[in-house]
Amino acid sequence: MTFTLNHTSPSIINTINSDHDYFEGTLFFSTNVYVMTCSSEVHLYTLEIEEDQVIDYQDLEPSKEMIEEAQYRVKSLFDITLDDDEAWDLITTNDTHCFMGDFEDEENCFKLDGFSLGELSWYVQGYQAKTARENGFVACRSEDEQGTVYAIHLVNREDLLTYKGLI
């Protein structure tokens, strides 16, 4: 079954930058047209996708590289060392609050401020999209504050986007 995913942007997308902020080349899509910018210009992009090109976040199989990236990020944000299983769970659980519960003790609780947890959740979404790509899928289906979201790592795959114009 083919369906259409939508992405909106405040600017024209020519190249997806792998070094951009938290998501490292990942764009987010929805089956509905949505706007997350206060820009006066909103550009609509679509992507046609087959259901078998989508993996749900809990079915991901992170590579050693993704596990190490997650471990590095948690260490740099919170000075907490995750073992491989904990890093795997972080990528495939989709809930940084679950992660927070694991470390709510007197020694570590002060390290887990809300902003840093939000930042970690953005990195995790990027890891999920990159892991989906490594696992042979185009998109990772997940949930966030907007509902169902499709995270797609699009570095060197800009040709998958179809520009629909201003909305």
Side-chain angles (χ1 to χ4, degrees), residues 13-41:
I13 298 171
N14 294 311
T15 303
I16 307 297
N17 183 350
S18 64
D19 296 325
H20 185 267
D21 294 332
Y22 308 102
F23 304 115
E24 301 174 341
T26 297
L27 296 183
F28 296 88
F29 294 79
S30 172
T31 54
N32 300 313
V33 176
Y34 66 95
V35 176
M36 296 279 299
T37 180
C38 56
S39 173
S40 61
E41 285 192 353

Side-chain angles (χ1 to χ4, degrees), residues 89-109:
D89 289 346
L90 180 63
I91 295 170
T92 61
T93 302
N94 201 39
D95 184 3
T96 55
H97 295 293
C98 171
F99 164 79
M100 182 177 85
D102 292 341
F103 297 98
E104 275 195 16
D105 60 43
E106 194 172 309
E107 180 183 344
N108 291 312
C109 68

Side-chain angles (χ1 to χ4, degrees), residues 33-162:
V33 176
Y34 66 95
V35 176
M36 296 279 299
T37 180
C38 56
S39 173
S40 61
E41 285 192 353
V42 178
H43 301 271
L44 175 63
Y45 291 86
T46 61
L47 187 145
E48 298 296 319
I49 194 165
E50 298 288 330
E51 181 62 37
D52 65 359
Q53 295 175 306
V54 178
I55 187 170
D56 292 310
Y57 67 90
Q58 67 268 21
D59 296 326
L60 292 168
E61 295 188 21
S63 66
K64 181 66 175 164
E65 181 179 282
M66 283 298 107
I67 288 169
E68 288 172 355
E69 281 192 46
Q71 289 169 324
Y72 169 79
R73 189 62 55 200
V74 169
K75 183 71 172 169
S76 66
L77 286 172
F78 307 110
D79 194 27
I80 295 171
T81 301
L82 298 182
D83 65 27
D84 289 357
D85 290 337
E86 291 168 327
W88 178 290
D89 289 346
L90 180 63
I91 295 170
T92 61
T93 302
N94 201 39
D95 184 3
T96 55
H97 295 293
C98 171
F99 164 79
M100 182 177 85
D102 292 341
F103 297 98
E104 275 195 16
D105 60 43
E106 194 172 309
E107 180 183 344
N108 291 312
C109 68
F110 71 93
K111 298 176 185 174
L112 303 177
D113 64 274
F115 179 79
S116 295
L117 282 170
E119 190 174 345
L120 178 62
S121 72
W122 298 329
Y123 280 111
V124 168
Q125 287 179 308
Y127 299 155
Q128 289 173 342
K130 290 194 308 190
T131 299
R133 185 173 178 171
E134 287 179 349
N135 290 176
F137 295 89
V138 174
C140 178
R141 183 174 24 231
S142 186
E143 297 288 326
D144 70 5
E145 67 278 4
Q146 303 301 316
T148 301
V149 63
Y150 297 82
I152 303 176
H153 189 255
L154 282 170
V155 173
N156 298 321
R157 293 168 55 178
E158 294 87 354
D159 60 311
L160 295 176
L161 293 173
T162 301

